[in-house]
Amino acid sequence: MKKWTTMIIGALLVMSLAACGNDKDNSAAPATGSGSTTTESNNTEGQSAAVPTLDELLAKTGEATKALKSFTTEANIDQQIKVDAGEQSQDQQVKTSLKMDIIKDPMMIYQEMEMDMSGQKQNVKQYITSENIYSQVGDQWVSIPEAQTKELIEQMKASMNPEKELDQFKKVKDDIKITEEGDSYVLNADVSGDNVKELAKSVMEQNGSDAQMQALLDQMNIKSMKMKYWINKETSLLEKMDVAMVMEMEQSGQKMTMDMKMDTSFSNHDKVAEIKVPQEALDAAK
């Protein structure tokens, strides 16, 4: 169960990183018009400015994010999991909190993660550079096998430098509604079945996901997925996203049902000045 949980969290965090981490130019992507995307209040009488179409909003966000040098992201993930194996059934609640400071070029990441699985807590701290990963589990710094380190670093690099990031929402634009909330434009999407699997696969393929993660997605029966993204009107940067998903999956004779909610925020734009790997971590990796 822990393996499944970790992989699913990984898939979702890759998607969240991709949403805020692009530094390539998306401005050349041709606009296709609003298509079937619904925009509320677009023609409201007396409104000072029309709500942008999906293409317009994504183009502006692409322009804003390509120059972004650093940011902080925080995520809280709550999962209610039920696993059935024959006549046996197991229920478990998994709560995960994650905070990451990210400098994009050269890549430097500091992250803290706490996972609470039915009262059993595990805390992990990591420094991730373009060459190494330094992990602290509890009070001890541990080394990660070189083969695994290389794979994880390549995935992380790819997730922060996709050719197209929020542009992926064009694949499910019929399911997206754009509204306004205060200083933000809000993308609302209620996606299910093949549509959400297509979206997830596309994002993960561009971010270097491995065969195991792809196989995991193939086995998922995503019954429903609701996404809500807040984009600041003034800066055009992603500020927050909420994801709620209900899914089923079968593997090795076991059936897992999961109800998951993930809330992610993005802040501290261009204000992460330095991330320095501590000496004890460097010593442990020798």
Side-chain angles (χ1 to χ4, degrees), residues 54-121:
L54 178 64
D55 296 298
E56 292 168 343
L57 193 57
L58 296 182
K60 287 182 179 180
T61 301
E63 280 292 308
T65 56
K66 71 178 180 180
L68 189 64
K69 296 179 180 179
S70 66
F71 61 96
T72 297
T73 181
E74 298 183 58
N76 291 295
I77 306 165
D78 189 354
Q79 300 171 96
Q80 302 289 336
I81 302 172
K82 182 178 181 181
V83 176
D84 295 309
E87 297 180 356
Q88 296 183 338
S89 180
Q90 180 182 4
D91 294 306
Q92 189 169 52
Q93 182 179 33
V94 181
K95 292 187 175 182
T96 305
S97 62
L98 177 79
K99 181 177 181 180
M100 303 174 71
D101 289 329
I102 298 170
I103 297 174
K104 291 167 58 179
D105 188 18
M107 186 182 76
M108 178 68 75
I109 299 171
Y110 171 67
Q111 67 176 357
E112 297 181 359
M113 184 176 73
E114 180 181 276
M115 183 180 287
D116 185 341
M117 300 182 68
S118 300
Q120 296 183 351
K121 293 184 179 181

Side-chain angles (χ1 to χ4, degrees), residues 5 9 16 36 95 113 229 248 250 265:
T5 299
I9 291 174
S16 68
S36 301
K95 292 187 175 182
M113 184 176 73
Y229 283 54
E248 295 177 346
E250 292 190 26
S265 65

